[in-house]
Amino acid sequence: MTLIRRFIRRAFYESWLEAESQADTAGTGIFDWRPAVVLFTTAITLTVASYYGGSVSLAHVFGLDRRDYSVEDWEMLVRVWWTATRCIAYVLIPIATIWLMPGERVRDYYLTFRGVFRHAWIYVGLYVLVLPVLYWVSTFDSFHATYPFYRWANQSPRHFWQWQLLYAIQFVALEFFFRGYMLKGLSHKFGYGAVFVMVVPYALIHYPKPIPEALSAIGAGIVLGTLAMRLRSIWGGVAIHVAVGFTMDWLALGYCPPAGVGPCH
């Protein structure tokens, strides 16, 4: 228990103090343009990801006709496009703004690998804690109707692992944006409060998902945001996100029809 209390104090209370010490001093009269850039970019990013990540925009941009493809191949193309638009929105657009901001460097946005393995036990512990919850949620009908996102992942190991690769790439992009770009970009002004600013749009992107996952995303966003700010690294968050996503899909496969019979949900 002493170890747990010590970790909570270091992860949350000391993170707050450290981030607050880096925040801009109130009342200086100097406008900090970094939060304005980050929040404006967040609005643009979420709009691009929402409106241009689906099958309609894929067909329009590349002039494709879904009738030229099998259902499973078309859905895989849609998932490739979905992943690509997330990379553009969550990575390329933010990086472009970082390059345009004087004195800002991409590598400072919590991309370091230093200390990742030393603190790996924290993320392993978090994963072990959520495993029973994942198993419980996997029994819900809403879960079966949602996962896996690629409905044909049950057809073969190739289908499943192709989708997992795309899913993992998307998680890297997502963690960079929310736990890297937003936190680092907002911490100068809001200190540790940047975690809670970040959690608002992070919760919003979970709205189409089952409500247990949407609610848990709030707590997960706070925990992963605190750790990213404390450790100055997004990579532990990437690892646990990939592990949880894989586990959810693997559990969902148990409720899918056998290969050759039909897709999931």
Side-chain angles (χ1 to χ4, degrees):
M1 292 299 295
T2 301
L3 180 62
I4 294 175
R5 286 196 299 269
R6 186 181 304 164
F7 166 70
I8 292 175
R9 176 181 173 83
R10 291 188 62 190
F12 290 88
Y13 179 66
E14 292 184 13
S15 292
W16 179 290
L17 294 180
E18 182 177 349
E20 286 298 321
S21 69
Q22 298 173 359
D24 291 337
T25 304
T28 60
I30 301 175
F31 177 70
D32 187 352
W33 39 262
R34 286 168 294 190
V37 171
V38 170
L39 291 174
F40 178 76
T41 304
T42 298
I44 296 296
T45 290
L46 297 182
T47 302
V48 170
S50 178
Y51 282 89
Y52 294 97
S55 59
V56 175
S57 59
L58 169 65
H60 178 73
V61 170
F62 294 99
L64 302 178
D65 188 336
R66 64 183 305 167
R67 293 172 296 184
D68 296 333
Y69 302 86
S70 66
V71 176
E72 59 190 85
D73 286 344
W74 175 255
E75 289 196 16
M76 176 56 74
L77 278 177
V78 171
R79 290 306 166 193
V80 171
W81 175 244
W82 175 77
T83 302
T85 54
R86 264 56 186 178
C87 290
I88 293 170
Y90 290 158
V91 178
L92 296 186
I93 293 176
I95 284 178
T97 67
I98 294 171
W99 283 340
L100 291 173
M101 290 189 287
E104 297 295 294
R105 302 180 302 181
V106 174
R107 66 175 180 268
D108 293 335
Y109 280 69
Y110 302 156
L111 292 178
T112 181
F113 284 94
R114 186 180 306 164
V116 170
F117 294 104
R118 180 160 55 92
H119 296 97
W121 65 272
I122 300 173
Y123 295 96
V124 173
L126 290 173
Y127 176 70
V128 171
L129 285 176
V130 302
L131 267 180
V133 179
L134 294 179
Y135 181 79
W136 172 62
V137 172
S138 72
T139 63
F140 294 6
D141 289 338
S142 58
F143 182 91
H144 311 154
T146 305
Y147 295 99
F149 287 160
Y150 177 54
R151 299 186 309 135
W152 300 88
N154 63 327
Q155 297 304 300
S156 71
R158 176 180 64 84
H159 288 82
F160 180 79
W161 288 110
Q162 282 179 342
W163 164 237
Q164 291 306 306
L165 176 61
L166 293 173
Y167 209 15
I169 293 171
Q170 178 269 158
F171 281 133
V172 174
L174 181 144
E175 286 295 325
F176 170 74
F177 180 74
F178 287 101
R179 253 70 75 178
Y181 180 70
M182 286 198 72
L183 284 188
K184 178 62 169 63
L186 297 175
S187 62
H188 303 87
K189 188 68 174 180
F190 299 104
Y192 182 64
V195 171
F196 299 91
V197 178
M198 173 273 296
V199 163
V200 175
Y202 183 66
L204 292 177
I205 68 170
H206 289 80
Y207 276 7
K209 298 182 179 181
I211 191 167
E213 182 178 354
L215 290 174
S216 65
I218 299 172
I222 294 172
V223 172
L224 294 180
T226 299
L227 289 170
M229 182 174 281
R230 177 66 180 172
L231 304 178
R232 292 182 171 83
S233 177
I234 67 168
W235 297 110
V238 170
I240 194 171
H241 233 143
V242 171
V244 168
F246 167 81
T247 303
M248 293 172 69
D249 280 0
W250 182 76
L251 290 171
L253 285 182
Y255 297 90
C256 294
V261 174
C264 300
H265 52 85

